[in-house]
Amino acid sequence: MNKFISAEQVNAAAEAVRQQTKHQPTIGLVLGSGLSGLANEVEEADIIPYDQIPNWPVSTVPGHSGRLVIGKLSGQTVLVQQGRAHYYEGYSMAQITLAVRVMRALGIETVIVTNAAGGINRNFTPGDLMLISDHLNMVGMAGENPLRGPNDESAGPRFPDMTRPYDPGLRQLASQVAEDAGVALQQGVYAYVAGPSFETPAELRFLHGIGADAVGMSTVPTVIVARHAGIRVLGISTITNKAILDPDSDGVVSHEEVLETGALIIPQLTALIRGVLARL
Ligand code: HPA
């Protein structure tokens, strides 16, 4: 497949989704590492495995099931991306953001993205939820922005604004829902790194110094393409591990820890997302 994705490829994927569902989803939900359980609560679900959709990248990572689940959740018609492909798996930026282009083609105007992230902010503990207020696109600033390449003006502007990538109204709603539900919600800046190796202590001290509160290997390309397409975004990180900034520490970070802690936060994450959906 091409490094870049054409409008025809997006439309072919969107058409395949339309053919396989009776629903017309208005909200997209992207579930990150170990967080895919919420998709099982979708009612009247149409389930489309990724290999049934042309051009769709298939994730190779444990903890990332690969399918779309389309149906009803908390009074809304949602399209859930249960599992996603990552840049570190070898896909291009255009491939890993095809999903959000397809969501737009299907008429979706709001996307909720979740992820697992390492906690850089010293006040964060594993098990916390963090509302993403802004991001640092380390990969994009180094040249791999998902909008690099030909720009389709009908899809969005060449130079999209990124002053408020995470919708202020949705952030306020999420804060209110969290407060009402008694769910503790941190807030902060998510730094996107390519991975797959976890960060060194020096890299983490660097990210801490430039204002990152959490670090992870996903989400930001999706958010940039969503904003390009005029979709409003709510982003929520689950803090699954404490970033180790001290080079003399004997701690380690593992994908197993990320999945285990992610599983513990699911009830709060579910309550938050369901609450937001109910009040949208
Ligand atoms: N670093 C990068 N990505 C992650 C981490 C981390 O510590 N935890 C979960 N995803």
Side-chain angles (χ1 to χ4, degrees):
M1 188 198 293
N2 272 338
K3 182 171 174 161
F4 303 119
I5 298 243
S6 66
E8 289 71 30
Q9 287 172 305
V10 173
N11 290 338
E15 189 49 35
V17 174
R18 266 187 224 107
Q19 296 290 333
Q20 295 177 72
T21 183
K22 55 189 172 292
H23 299 291
Q24 281 205 348
T26 56
I27 298 169
L29 191 54
V30 183
L31 299 178
S33 297
L35 307 174
S36 64
L38 184 54
N40 303 329
E41 298 183 23
V42 171
E43 292 160 20
E44 299 170 44
D46 291 325
I47 292 171
I48 312 175
Y50 290 160
D51 60 12
Q52 304 290 309
I53 311 171
N55 309 313
W56 202 282
V58 177
S59 175
T60 58
V61 188
H64 284 261
S65 338
R67 54 195 208 160
L68 293 182
V69 180
I70 309 175
K72 307 283 182 192
L73 191 64
S74 296
Q76 303 284 353
T77 307
V78 297
L79 176 149
V80 184
Q81 192 186 339
Q82 190 180 27
R84 65 176 147 216
H86 300 78
Y87 183 68
Y88 59 72
E89 294 174 74
Y91 294 111
S92 71
M93 283 286 166
Q95 286 174 299
I96 64 170
T97 53
L98 171 72
V100 68
R101 292 276 181 226
V102 169
M103 289 182 200
R104 188 70 196 84
L106 294 171
I108 286 172
E109 291 181 339
T110 304
V111 169
I112 302 175
V113 275
T114 64
N115 60 47
I120 293 179
N121 185 318
R122 298 295 84 185
N123 296 324
F124 290 2
T125 6
D128 281 351
L129 290 178
M130 183 190 88
L131 185 61
I132 307 178
S133 57
D134 201 348
H135 68 226
L136 285 158
N137 184 4
M138 305 309 293
V139 185
M141 292 173 85
E144 274 283 24
N145 188 294
L147 302 179
R148 178 173 174 270
N151 186 59
D152 175 358
E153 280 294 321
S154 68
R158 172 77 287 186
F159 301 107
D161 175 61
M162 283 295 149
T163 316
R164 282 171 295 280
Y166 302 86
D167 186 78
L170 291 178
R171 275 157 49 203
Q172 203 183 359
L173 174 62
S175 298
Q176 194 61 54
V177 166
E179 197 183 316
D180 295 350
V183 170
L185 187 59
Q186 306 277 12
Q187 192 162 164
V189 174
Y190 175 92
Y192 170 54
V193 295
S197 51
F198 287 112
E199 304 70 41
T200 66
E203 288 164 349
L204 290 164
R205 292 196 302 280
F206 167 68
L207 293 174
H208 183 255
I210 61 172
D213 296 295
V215 57
M217 305 174 192
S218 68
T219 301
V220 166
T222 296
V223 172
I224 290 172
V225 171
R227 293 307 303 138
H228 181 251
I231 292 173
R232 58 185 190 149
V233 176
L234 176 66
I236 302 162
S237 291
T238 59
I239 304 299
T240 55
N241 56 288
K242 211 173 173 75
I244 300 170
L245 279 62
D246 174 6
D248 296 324
S249 159
D250 53 11
V252 287
V253 183
S254 71
H255 186 57
E256 289 67 35
E257 178 189 6
V258 168
L259 293 181
E260 278 166 27
T261 314
L264 299 178
I265 322 175
I266 282 180
Q268 290 94 309
L269 182 68
T270 301
L272 181 59
I273 291 176
R274 277 182 167 283
V276 168
L277 289 174
R279 284 158 69 167
L280 268 176

